[in-house]
Amino acid sequence: IEGWVGVHHLDDQQQSKNFTFKCHRDNNDIYSVNSLNFHLVHHTFATVGSDGAFNFWDKDSKQRLKAMSRCSQPIPCSAFNNDGSIYAYSSCYDWSKGAENHNPATAKIYIFLHLPQVHS
């Protein structure tokens, strides 16, 4: 909600590790967080938003690992493949600004594949 992401553990013993943070913001502009995906191998996660950005996060250190360059359109969805070697995301109009801002003549739909860097 309002560009915030919350990480909340289901195990009562880990409730002290819960946290929230701001993301997908640009000064006073707040964008929706459209998708959050966990990397099954490294236990990090990625968020995408209506600002056209995607970011990689480390939940254990509670910090952003990498902010990627923004797309010219919002990113409504994303996913890692099953071994985490490919991160796929789409870029298109996401209706966050309503029908009056949608222009079918210039609207393009893209699907991108990103190869995450693994640091050891």
Side-chain angles (χ1 to χ4, degrees), residues 27-113:
N27 297 320
N28 292 329
D29 295 328
I30 300 170
Y31 299 91
S32 63
V33 178
N34 294 332
S35 180
L36 185 145
N37 308 101
F38 278 92
H39 192 286
L40 296 176
V41 176
H42 300 291
H43 308 289
T44 55
F45 64 93
T47 61
V48 300
S50 291
D51 58 350
F54 68 96
N55 300 288
F56 293 110
W57 306 89
D58 182 342
K59 70 172 178 54
D60 296 327
S61 66
K62 300 179 184 177
Q63 64 183 341
R64 180 173 31 207
L65 296 171
K66 182 82 174 164
M68 305 305 291
S69 299
R70 288 186 178 187
C71 295
S72 60
Q73 300 183 97
I75 302 175
C77 59
S78 62
F80 285 103
N81 68 337
N82 64 340
D83 69 359
S85 63
I86 300 172
Y87 182 68
Y89 60 98
S90 67
S91 175
C92 63
Y93 190 70
D94 70 350
W95 302 96
S96 62
K97 294 184 179 178
E100 62 274 5
N101 287 304
H102 177 27
N103 182 349
T106 60
K108 302 288 184 202
I109 299 171
Y110 299 97
I111 296 175
F112 296 101
L113 301 177

Side-chain angles (χ1 to χ4, degrees), residues 7-19 59-60 62:
V7 176
H8 296 272
H9 294 80
L10 299 175
D11 182 356
D12 288 338
Q13 302 297 321
Q14 295 189 19
Q15 293 294 312
S16 64
K17 295 182 180 180
N18 293 350
F19 66 97
K59 70 172 178 54
D60 296 327
K62 300 179 184 177

